[in-house]
Amino acid sequence: MSQIIQWIEIGTIIRSLGCCPSEGELHDLIAEVEEEEPTGYIRFEKFLPVMTEVLLERRYRPIPEDILLRAFEVLDPAKHGFLSKEELIKYMTEEGEPFSQEEMEEMLSAAIDPESNSVHYKDYITMMVIDEN
Amino acid sequence: MGSGVSTQHHFAFQNAEKAFKAAALIQRWYRRYMARLEMRRHCTWSIFQSIEYAGQQDQVKLHNFFSYLVDHFTPSSHNENPGTKPSGRDAGAAFGNELPESLRHLPHSLRDFLNRMFTEERSPQDSEMENCRDYESIEVPDSYTGPRLSFPLLPDHATALVEAFRVKQRLHARYVLNLLYEARKHLVQLPNINRVSTCYNEEITVCGDLHGQLDDLIFIFYKNGLPSPERAYVFNGDFVDRGKDSVEILMVLFAFMLVYPKEFHLNRGNHEDHMVNLRYGFTKEVMHKYKTHGKKILKLLQDVFCWFPLATLVDEKVLILHGGVSDMTDLEFLAKLDRHKIVSTMRCKTRKEHKKQAEKGKANQTSSAGRPSPWFLPESHSLPTSPLRPSSQKAHRAGRSSSVPCRVPLDPNELSHWVRHSVDLELERCRQQAGFPVIKEKEEPLPLASEADSEAEGRPEPTQEAWRQVVDILWSDPMAQAGCKANTVRGGGCYFGPNVTERLLQKYNLQFLIRSHECKPEGYEFCHGRKVLTIFSASNYYEVGSNRGAYVKLGPALTPHIVQFQANKATHTLTMRQRISRVGESALRALREKLFAHSSDLLVEFKKRDKDKTGLITLSDWAAAVESVLHLGLPWRMLRPQLVSSLTDNKLEYKSWLKNLAKEQFSHENIQSSLLEALYRNRSNLETIFRIIDSDHSGFISLDEFRQTWKLFSSHMNIDVTDDCICDLARSIDFNKDGHIDINEFLEAFRLVEQSCSKGYASDC
């Protein structure tokens, strides 16, 4: 048997099981599976029943492509079809559940078209969705 | 108007709320996307690591094979069997005159090798390394435009050397040997545990594994600054193997060590070992870069390697060593042992003790009792306490845990001693062949008497303990659970838990441990409550984009400050998505190849789960079957979409899947697929064997040698191949029909060289 052990965040696991919780929802979920005195580790025996229920209830469903598009359109009321780099940064770091600097940089690296310094969100979404599959 | 304003506010508020919600939605989606990417990265990492460790276990099989040969090869004190080919050795050496039938067909070169490795050669001369000044006679042609060295070295020379290598120049063999010789002189004076102290202003930088990746070393010097009296460095082992510039790395490290002996420190790693180098590419690199003098260089290196200090201690507070520790680690003992005797941590059986006993007229012990037990052997030869036999785990854990399983005392004449002997003999032969006068040396007194006595009395053998202690610190890995158990993945050393670390730190009043030995995605990792720091300096180790490298600077009060890097400009411009997908592809390729290599066994397992003979199995069954054959511990169901493309009714048609795997792998349709499978499965061992057979490092082995060796190997490994098959195979590889096989062509023809590996000389990825 392999002895290779990797440290994986519980949030990563939950998300890769098909769930799409918000940070707040994730926080609540973790509180449910944590030890009474948090050790920094989650025990599988505690995690399994909670997670099973989440999956059976189909909680935290992923976001359909069209809803995602509409979200971008809300941020682009003038219907330009794109968001400037500054706008994207402002929304992602000041609104909702703000990104960390690292998250912001990573998103920018893939989303921003360097020539126009903006993100054409329709294309961006299409690209990301294809990539997932 | 009021209502107008409030409506405005209302709208504004609504819009703000909408924007907030929209942003939150996008963030939620994005975080899930990143999590899935992260998961993919973890899977890829698992694939690489498990394949890497499985490769290390191949070493076990190889030793098994050699031991099996040795079992049938009984040396005696009589003269050489007239039926065998002359070996060209001194009259003093002797071969068995009771060679079994099978061994009479052993290729000459392989027999030589076994002879060298497994028996003692008695030689009237024991040439001391100190007098190995061959390099002085090597001429450097005027046309040579590479760097020239003169000793004693000056800082400028060392810097110039780095620059020369940066522009891809090559150092002439004469200077290589000269530098090695000088390095050895210096290393010999160092203690086993190098003690270093920081003055108020001095900074110490500790670097981990480099594995022949010169770009990373140059980057570190560029970013952190060149070594100087104010800038101390500790390099924590594994300078060579896998990467393509191991020679250059060694040259640079040795140059700075000679220039700044008080500030520049090197620890031994498990790859500073000629046996490991045979498999992992360093030997190959040397022979390729130095066709004429390579062998000489390798011999000298073999000795230099065992003179590396085993650990470095900074301010008596921070212990730096390559692998880790065990519950038996004894620093005082380590400080006192004769580290030079530990030539290789890969141990072999020996019959030497047998012979010595006979000579001394002692009672002839039976072979099984007198034979020192091999360390790695997992099968019948091994004793109950072998780390590789699960049934022994209990007994193992009761006592100590890690490396040495021997119940019987070791041969008093330490393996390393006669390896050194045989090394000297080889050198001597080299010299003789080259026409140098034979140097008459006083025979080195062999410490026989006392040790033989102690062995007879059954007292534990000090050198055995020494060997165990060294293996522990060079091969062990930390684990999360408490305790200390045998490191079965690597085949040596142990896994040590936080309590073991704590006990050691307390016992010796240390602050923390710095070690390397394991690749980490971020180039470093803390564990055991930040008491153990793993530092790994070979970036992009598995593949471009696979991991960062890192080094650690010890500041005032020895607080660690980590610096990360990735020595490949290309990766900076790739997004994480692109990086991960690239790495993922090559990992999957490697995995598919492994699957192909076990096609027959997989088919058996699939059939077992297809009782109704429908030709289909469920995905759960598929995952279970694959794991039961490959034992890689990978999340097969997660990987399934990448490995299995089409499903019928949510089930897998396994026969056609296996066929597709095969199609991807090879182009020689006329070669029997089971043979190919066997070749793929054992390719790293095969390559090592080839290099051993090719004793003059010409790059060619004769058809006969290949056939005989392959026959022996396959019969030992229970690989079912007919004679005709082997002949066909051999003939098909002999492209120019001259009775010789070019090793590299052979490997290339069957794509046995890891293609996803972008490194030049690595034989294993």
Side-chain angles (χ1 to χ4, degrees):
Chain A
M1 259 312 281
S2 170
Q3 293 275 1
I4 299 151
I5 297 164
Q6 299 182 54
W7 304 120
I8 303 181
E9 300 239 305
I10 197 75
T12 306
I13 294 178
I14 293 172
R15 284 178 167 129
S16 53
L17 284 170
C19 299
C20 196
S22 67
E23 291 287 285
E25 287 166 334
L26 190 62
H27 201 79
D28 293 338
L29 198 53
I30 291 176
E32 249 185 273
V33 295
E34 247 177 353
E35 303 291 303
E36 267 101 44
E37 293 184 23
T39 58
Y41 301 113
I42 304 289
R43 286 195 302 120
F44 183 65
E45 301 83 50
K46 236 183 161 183
F47 178 72
L48 183 60
V50 175
M51 198 62 219
T52 311
E53 213 182 300
V54 167
L55 290 171
L56 287 174
E57 288 173 16
R58 302 174 78 78
R59 251 191 270 170
Y60 316 127
R61 297 267 74 217
I63 300 159
E65 214 178 308
D66 55 335
I67 306 281
L68 186 57
L69 183 59
R70 263 194 267 162
F72 273 101
E73 284 170 348
V74 165
L75 302 180
D76 174 28
K79 304 274 176 280
H80 291 136
F82 62 85
L83 288 172
S84 76
K85 183 174 168 186
E86 291 71 33
E87 283 176 321
L88 186 66
I89 293 177
K90 184 180 85 139
Y91 283 124
M92 292 296 108
T93 59
E94 291 175 22
E95 301 285 346
E97 291 172 320
F99 273 170
S100 66
Q101 193 185 351
E102 212 182 309
E103 285 175 308
M104 193 67 248
E105 275 170 19
E106 184 52 49
M107 183 186 227
L108 288 173
S109 68
I112 295 289
D113 165 29
E115 281 177 28
S116 60
N117 230 18
S118 60
V119 52
H120 295 262
Y121 45 82
K122 198 142 187 243
D123 294 336
Y124 175 56
I125 293 172
T126 315
M127 174 184 78
M128 297 285 264
V129 165
I130 290 178
D131 202 48
E132 275 207 297
N133 313 322
Chain B
M1 277 100 67
S3 69
V5 170
S6 72
T7 320
Q8 255 185 335
H9 278 310
H10 182 68
F11 275 134
F13 180 73
Q14 258 196 340
N15 284 337
E17 212 189 323
K18 279 213 278 191
F20 185 93
K21 283 195 177 148
L25 196 122
I26 294 171
Q27 288 153 346
R28 182 157 70 101
W29 160 81
Y30 184 78
R31 282 175 172 131
R32 175 168 177 260
Y33 174 82
M34 291 310 284
R36 294 180 78 185
L37 257 190
E38 180 70 12
M39 208 42 126
R40 237 171 66 185
R41 192 182 65 73
H42 279 286
C43 276
T44 303
W45 193 259
S46 294
I47 295 175
F48 277 132
Q49 287 227 302
S50 62
I51 292 184
E52 171 176 351
Y53 292 152
Q56 289 184 348
Q57 288 165 2
D58 270 354
Q59 191 87 352
V60 176
K61 285 196 217 141
L62 194 63
H63 274 266
N64 216 356
F65 173 51
F66 288 140
S67 303
Y68 153 81
L69 293 178
V70 169
D71 268 351
H72 300 84
F73 183 39
T74 317
S76 81
S77 48
H78 299 299
N79 283 334
E80 213 173 87
N81 184 345
T84 64
K85 276 165 128 184
S87 71
R89 293 206 179 278
D90 307 304
F95 292 135
N97 62 347
E98 26 179 290
L99 277 182
E101 192 61 47
S102 54
L103 263 265
R104 305 239 175 97
H105 302 290
L106 189 60
H108 180 219
S109 47
L110 192 55
R111 205 173 52 230
D112 265 359
F113 169 76
L114 290 174
N115 217 20
R116 288 201 305 271
M117 299 311 291
F118 292 92
T119 64
E120 188 205 3
E121 301 299 324
R122 241 187 347 142
S123 161
Q125 306 127 337
D126 186 351
S127 37
E128 287 294 319
M129 280 294 165
E130 279 84 356
N131 291 308
C132 168
R133 282 185 176 251
D134 304 352
Y135 65 85
E136 282 178 349
S137 55
I138 300 177
E139 291 269 322
V140 180
D142 290 332
S143 54
Y144 172 69
T145 52
R148 290 171 189 260
L149 302 176
S150 62
F151 294 84
L153 275 183
L154 297 173
D156 281 348
H157 296 155
T159 314
L161 198 59
V162 178
E163 184 55 30
F165 289 150
R166 195 182 67 81
V167 297
K168 312 271 187 262
Q169 288 183 346
R170 187 163 292 171
L171 187 64
H172 194 275
R174 183 212 168 97
Y175 299 121
V176 172
L177 286 166
N178 200 352
L179 183 52
L180 288 177
Y181 170 73
E182 293 294 321
R184 185 186 178 273
K185 269 200 323 203
H186 170 80
L187 288 171
V188 164
Q189 300 166 48
L190 297 177
N192 293 351
I193 300 182
N194 221 348
R195 285 179 146 79
V196 173
S197 74
T198 56
C199 313
Y200 181 64
N201 276 323
E202 196 172 291
E203 53 176 60
I204 285 197
T205 304
V206 183
C207 303
D209 296 25
L210 285 170
H211 280 303
Q213 298 187 185
L214 184 63
D215 286 344
D216 286 309
L217 180 58
I218 292 181
F219 189 88
I220 293 172
F221 283 160
Y222 164 72
K223 183 155 181 157
N224 194 45
L226 287 168
S228 73
E230 293 77 40
R231 191 175 295 115
Y233 272 94
V234 178
F235 282 87
N236 200 11
D238 276 13
F239 319 118
V240 302
D241 278 333
R242 298 187 198 275
K244 61 179 177 58
D245 296 316
S246 301
V247 174
E248 284 72 25
I249 287 198
L250 276 183
M251 296 297 104
V252 169
L253 294 178
F254 284 145
F256 278 112
M257 181 184 76
L258 292 173
V259 166
Y260 297 118
K262 294 218 176 343
E263 292 85 17
F264 200 84
H265 311 282
L266 303 173
N267 287 343
R268 190 176 188 182
N270 61 307
H271 277 260
E272 274 67 59
D273 181 328
H274 70 109
M275 291 290 282
V276 177
N277 298 150
L278 264 174
R279 170 186 292 279
Y280 288 103
F282 182 46
T283 309
K284 190 163 149 190
E285 180 191 326
V286 172
M287 289 316 301
H288 184 91
K289 289 180 175 172
Y290 296 99
K291 295 187 165 56
T292 323
H293 302 285
K295 230 175 154 195
K296 227 176 280 183
I297 294 175
L298 285 171
K299 291 305 175 203
L300 185 47
L301 270 167
Q302 198 173 312
D303 191 57
V304 171
F305 279 166
C306 16
W307 279 114
F308 276 122
L310 301 171
T312 300
L313 188 55
V314 180
D315 288 347
E316 304 292 316
K317 284 286 162 213
V318 178
L319 182 61
I320 309 173
L321 36 73
H322 178 74
V325 297
S326 77
D327 53 358
M328 305 289 276
T329 296
D330 180 344
L331 290 185
E332 282 131 356
F333 182 84
L334 276 166
K336 292 204 212 97
L337 60 81
D338 186 354
R339 71 179 188 272
H340 187 224
K341 285 186 169 186
I342 318 283
V343 175
S344 168
T345 52
M346 308 260 126
R347 239 178 25 183
C348 318
K349 287 204 289 193
T350 174
R351 299 230 171 212
K352 182 176 51 116
E353 184 260 344
H354 213 200
K355 193 174 155 191
K356 280 274 172 271
Q357 296 287 327
E359 280 170 2
K360 294 219 160 292
K362 290 208 167 148
N364 239 333
Q365 294 178 340
T366 59
S367 54
S368 53
R371 184 191 326 153
S373 225
W375 171 38
F376 281 108
L377 296 196
E379 288 163 32
S380 54
H381 313 286
S382 66
L383 302 171
T385 48
S386 160
L388 291 166
R389 289 221 330 215
S391 57
S392 69
Q393 283 297 329
K394 268 198 205 137
H396 225 100
R397 247 173 268 187
R400 53 98 31 114
S401 52
S402 49
S403 37
V404 173
C406 297
R407 197 174 37 193
V408 294
L410 184 59
D411 184 340
N413 296 303
E414 175 67 24
L415 163 92
S416 61
H417 184 82
W418 55 250
V419 167
R420 191 155 51 122
H421 251 308
S422 59
V423 163
D424 294 343
L425 260 177
E426 276 297 307
L427 254 183
E428 184 51 41
R429 233 183 8 162
C430 280
R431 277 209 294 272
Q432 282 180 346
Q433 277 173 10
F436 291 117
V438 166
I439 297 170
K440 293 255 181 259
E441 287 293 335
K442 199 177 63 141
E443 179 172 12
E444 183 183 290
L446 305 171
L448 285 175
S450 55
E451 284 170 276
D453 285 331
S454 76
E455 190 255 328
E457 285 164 26
R459 259 192 270 127
E461 182 53 34
T463 49
Q464 176 183 347
E465 179 64 19
W467 183 82
R468 173 201 314 197
Q469 290 273 341
V470 173
V471 166
D472 280 350
I473 62 172
L474 294 185
W475 284 84
S476 301
D477 293 313
M479 65 173 175
Q481 302 95 316
C484 191
K485 57 183 190 180
N487 193 326
T488 49
V489 170
R490 293 201 193 258
C494 68
Y495 287 115
F496 62 100
N499 56 327
V500 175
T501 302
E502 189 55 42
R503 207 169 52 217
L504 186 107
L505 295 179
Q506 270 185 23
K507 180 172 177 193
Y508 297 107
N509 203 11
L510 305 169
Q511 263 176 32
F512 64 97
L513 209 64
I514 299 182
R515 45 90 62 175
S516 304
H517 197 41
E518 282 182 296
C519 184
K520 298 292 177 191
E522 294 298 315
Y524 76 99
E525 190 174 273
F526 280 102
C527 65
H528 294 187
R530 290 184 79 93
K531 295 284 175 66
V532 174
L533 168 62
T534 301
I535 197 85
F536 194 85
S537 303
S539 67
N540 306 317
Y541 179 62
Y542 291 123
E543 173 61 272
V544 171
S546 68
N547 64 290
R548 288 178 154 137
Y551 55 86
V552 57
K553 299 169 75 92
L554 298 177
L558 300 174
T559 44
H561 168 63
I562 313 275
V563 178
Q564 295 173 293
F565 59 90
Q566 205 150 10
N568 185 319
K569 290 201 210 93
T571 55
H572 290 302
T573 56
L574 292 175
T575 62
M576 190 191 291
R577 193 185 102 252
Q578 288 169 318
R579 260 182 272 142
I580 291 179
S581 73
R582 259 219 212 167
V583 186
E585 271 161 37
S586 77
L588 287 168
R589 238 198 324 258
L591 197 53
R592 274 195 283 265
E593 201 184 276
K594 249 211 159 17
L595 285 166
F596 163 71
H598 290 85
S599 301
S600 319
D601 289 339
L602 283 172
L603 187 61
V604 166
E605 286 297 319
F606 290 154
K607 283 191 173 154
K608 266 196 220 163
R609 292 165 170 82
D610 177 25
K611 298 250 156 65
D612 297 334
K613 300 211 206 306
T614 58
L616 302 166
I617 49 168
T618 64
L619 289 175
S620 317
D621 282 338
W622 173 82
V626 172
E627 179 57 27
S628 73
V629 171
L630 290 193
H631 300 296
L632 289 176
L634 291 173
W636 295 106
R637 265 180 268 209
M638 281 199 79
L639 297 168
R640 198 270 312 157
Q642 323 280 3
L643 297 171
V644 176
S645 47
S646 64
L647 296 171
T648 322
D649 242 350
N650 248 353
K651 287 195 175 184
L652 167 69
E653 233 190 293
Y654 51 88
K655 284 205 189 115
S656 56
W657 179 70
L658 285 171
K659 240 196 236 145
N660 281 333
L661 271 181
K663 276 209 203 108
E664 282 171 26
Q665 296 304 326
F666 63 96
S667 54
H668 293 252
E669 312 255 329
N670 54 327
I671 303 299
Q672 190 189 70
S673 66
S674 64
L675 179 58
L676 265 168
E677 216 187 290
L679 281 173
Y680 268 86
R681 201 168 3 181
N682 297 285
R683 69 138 185 249
S684 72
N685 278 344
L686 269 181
E687 186 176 346
T688 310
I689 292 174
F690 284 166
R691 300 210 176 276
I692 291 170
I693 295 177
D694 178 26
S695 50
D696 60 358
H697 300 285
S698 63
F700 288 91
I701 56 173
S702 80
L703 267 182
D704 266 346
E705 287 176 314
F706 169 73
R707 249 204 321 265
Q708 289 165 38
T709 309
W710 177 242
K711 192 164 165 185
L712 269 171
F713 186 72
S714 50
S715 76
H716 165 70
M717 299 290 289
N718 289 322
I719 301 167
D720 195 19
V721 265
T722 64
D723 261 0
D724 283 342
C725 236
I726 297 175
C727 286
D728 282 342
L729 176 65
R731 248 182 275 120
S732 78
I733 311 165
D734 178 14
F735 297 118
N736 58 357
K737 307 292 169 235
D738 68 346
H740 277 82
I741 298 172
D742 179 321
I743 299 177
N744 290 317
E745 273 188 343
F746 170 71
L747 295 172
E748 186 54 44
F750 291 94
R751 296 196 215 163
L752 294 187
V753 174
E754 181 63 64
Q755 278 179 337
S756 60
C757 201
S758 53
K759 299 152 193 166
Y761 295 106
S763 55
D764 235 342
C765 260

